[in-house]
Amino acid sequence: MAVDDATITADGSDATRVVFRAIDAFGNQRRYGSGQVALTLSGPATLLGDNPFEFGQYGGLGAVWSAHWRASRVRSR
């Protein structure tokens, strides 16, 4: 999992993309993963995108957006 921006303006008008992928033990992308990925956030943010995410339809790679409404630390799980 990786985010495009480490810091954003938490005023309700800014967001960042969160990319996630299935990888093997060596860090290589597994393109034929299947099943659903359920995403959760803790902190004052909103998850924008498919949740749960259908991994098999997109080749083991996905992305959602995270919008933060006030200044705070947000963690993904």
Side-chain angles (χ1 to χ4, degrees):
M1 182 173 283
V3 295
D4 286 347
D5 304 292
T7 304
I8 64 172
T9 304
D11 62 0
S13 66
D14 199 2
T16 189
R17 184 178 62 156
V18 180
V19 178
F20 49 93
R21 65 185 74 226
I23 59 173
D24 64 16
F26 303 102
N28 300 310
Q29 184 173 338
R30 297 185 62 190
R31 301 201 185 278
Y32 303 106
S34 62
Q36 294 182 339
V37 174
L39 305 167
T40 61
L41 292 174
S42 67
T46 302
L47 189 65
L48 308 170
D50 294 344
N51 192 22
F53 188 87
E54 292 287 342
F55 239 8
Q57 292 181 358
Y58 300 100
L61 174 69
V64 294
W65 289 85
S66 176
H68 304 252
W69 301 107
R70 64 183 171 89
S72 182
R73 181 177 207 90
V74 176
R75 294 178 40 190
S76 60
R77 291 183 235 173

